Amino acid sequence: MAYDGKILRRAVQRFDDDRRERQNRFQQRREGIYRRQPRLREIDGELLGTMGRLIAQTLRFGADPFPAVEALRKQNLGLQEERRLLLEGLGLPPDCLEEHPVCSLCGDTGYRNGGMCRCLRQYCAREQQKELSRMLDLGSQSFETFSLEWYSQEDSPELGISPRENMAWILRTCQRYAASFTPSSGSLLLSGSPGLGKTFLSAAIAREVSGDGWSVVYDTAIHVFERFEARKFGREQGETVEADVDRVFRCDLLILDDLGTETPTPFVQSALYSIVNGRLLDRRPTILSTNLKLEDLSRRYGPQTASRMEGEYQVLPFFGQDIRQLKKERR
């Protein structure tokens, strides 16, 4: 799972802040106990000293270390027993002066076996949800709140199926896609007129996939192409523009909304081909949402890009009446 740098930095910062806060709270609790029973502070200092001497004795050469080690061990056990009794007298458990990590897998380091631990991944997922919420209404745009009632049940003479039947199939397809998402899930092309639910279902997929811990970048085509242009023509310097472009290629799932609303230029054609082809070669799924018809893609973006999309993407065709307009009329 490849979280982009912005998300990862924020997650690590929050992770470290929470860890420091827990450590501070533990230190305050321990100091409170020491104030109640000062002898406990002395015992803990002595225990640290005996541990150091134990290690020194076991490493010493030229003499039998066993008698000294055994004496230190008995001293250590005696201090531990005195410590236990003092804590018991305060009505406290024996381990209350020991700091325990929240995550037993990584010891609150965030990393395990050379990779990111699930505890840090949870922080990444939460930060990613915040990022997605800046563009999407994740609070209401979910599969559970998607309603088929707005779609007509009358069959289309041209397609031989009603908009509702078609949307029921698209909804099931999107639900299965999100529920079983992996890097080998393949890509989707959501095509159809405005106001038919493309953005809504894209948001629902983003919500579920990111909630499962996968890195998701959701952005509009206009903004993505602007960032590519800023890097290409030097309109903006620094790490930010590089990170914005890099995350388009590195995220587990890229959702590019409103494709076709940008100004058509040779640069846009080249950038889109780079995104589509590059992510296909890297086996990174992409969801493209567009108001364009399939036959318009080739004219706008070139036959090479259109061929990649039509050949490698599962096409989900949206048709029917504008739902947003219907809702306005019924108010």
Side-chain angles (χ1 to χ4, degrees):
M1 299 182 185
Y3 289 101
D4 71 74
K6 179 169 59 176
I7 297 296
L8 183 57
R9 283 192 296 273
R10 288 208 301 256
V12 170
Q13 183 64 54
R14 183 61 61 85
F15 180 87
D16 289 340
D17 289 346
D18 286 351
R19 180 173 56 188
R20 282 192 292 270
E21 185 179 344
R22 291 194 300 272
Q23 290 172 342
N24 289 337
R25 288 200 302 266
F26 168 74
Q27 293 291 346
Q28 291 172 3
R29 287 196 303 271
R30 185 165 62 179
E31 285 300 317
I33 295 172
Y34 284 161
R35 286 193 294 271
R36 292 174 63 188
Q37 178 48 266
R39 173 59 182 156
L40 287 169
R41 189 193 302 272
E42 296 173 0
I43 291 174
D44 282 350
E46 292 177 32
L47 284 171
L48 286 174
T50 58
M51 184 60 66
R53 292 196 295 276
L54 274 169
I55 294 173
Q57 288 292 344
T58 56
L59 295 176
R60 184 173 296 168
F61 295 95
D64 184 5
F66 180 77
V69 169
E70 183 63 17
L72 288 172
R73 188 183 70 83
K74 289 181 180 179
Q75 180 185 353
N76 189 290
L77 290 174
L79 289 169
Q80 289 183 47
E81 178 62 14
E82 183 184 358
R83 184 176 188 254
R84 185 188 68 78
L85 291 173
L86 288 173
L87 289 171
E88 185 178 296
L90 295 174
L92 298 173
D95 62 348
C96 67
L97 291 174
E98 300 170 12
E99 189 173 6
H100 301 286
V102 171
C103 181
S104 60
L105 296 177
C106 69
D108 288 351
T109 65
Y111 295 90
R112 176 172 174 261
N113 297 330
M116 188 184 298
C117 184
R118 68 186 183 190
C119 63
L120 181 53
R121 284 202 303 269
Q122 290 173 350
Y123 276 79
C124 289
R126 287 196 291 270
E127 289 302 319
Q128 185 170 244
Q129 288 278 313
K130 293 178 185 177
E131 182 72 13
L132 290 172
S133 294
R134 291 189 176 97
M135 294 191 65
L136 302 169
D137 182 13
L138 295 183
S140 63
Q141 291 173 324
S142 67
F143 292 124
E144 290 74 20
T145 58
F146 187 84
S147 175
L148 294 172
E149 293 182 2
W150 296 98
Y151 298 87
S152 172
Q153 298 186 67
E154 295 183 12
D155 286 353
S156 166
E158 297 177 358
L159 302 174
I161 186 175
S162 72
R164 184 174 296 187
E165 288 177 297
N166 181 63
M167 282 308 304
W169 168 74
I170 288 177
L171 176 60
R172 290 194 301 271
T173 301
C174 291
Q175 288 173 318
R176 287 195 298 267
Y177 184 89
S180 60
F181 180 84
T182 70
S184 60
S185 290
S187 298
L188 302 177
L189 175 61
L190 282 56
S191 173
S193 300
L196 293 176
K198 299 187 298 298
T199 296
F200 193 112
L201 289 178
S202 296
I205 292 174
R207 173 188 181 132
E208 188 158 332
V209 172
S210 65
D212 286 340
W214 300 98
S215 61
V216 179
V217 169
Y218 189 110
D219 212 337
T220 63
I222 289 177
H223 184 254
V224 167
F225 295 141
E226 284 177 350
R227 304 309 289 159
F228 273 60
E229 288 179 349
R231 186 185 70 166
K232 175 71 174 179
F233 300 112
R235 296 172 183 167
E236 184 179 326
Q237 302 296 325
E239 296 181 358
T240 301
V241 67
E242 290 293 336
D244 286 346
V245 172
D246 184 61
R247 69 187 190 130
V248 168
F249 290 103
R250 285 177 45 80
C251 64
D252 296 317
L253 176 61
L254 170 66
I255 302 178
L256 201 59
D257 197 18
D258 284 337
L259 182 65
T261 56
E262 74 289 339
T263 302
T265 65
F267 177 82
V268 165
Q269 290 182 341
S270 175
L272 181 60
Y273 178 79
S274 177
I275 293 170
V276 169
N277 192 56
R279 290 186 61 84
L280 284 174
L281 291 175
D282 290 342
R283 292 186 170 277
R284 297 183 187 273
T286 305
I287 296 176
L288 300 178
S289 175
T290 179
N291 297 336
L292 299 174
K293 297 179 180 179
L294 294 180
E295 54 267 26
D296 297 328
L297 294 174
S298 181
R299 290 194 298 270
R300 188 178 182 92
Y301 301 111
Q304 213 175 9
T305 303
S307 175
R308 294 287 194 283
M309 289 190 282
E310 293 181 29
E312 301 290 343
Y313 285 47
Q314 181 179 7
V315 179
L316 303 182
F318 289 63
F319 67 91
Q321 290 181 275
D322 187 326
I323 303 303
R324 287 192 291 264
Q325 187 60 42
L326 287 175
K327 290 182 178 180
K328 287 182 181 179
E329 292 173 358
R330 295 187 187 182
R331 285 176 184 169

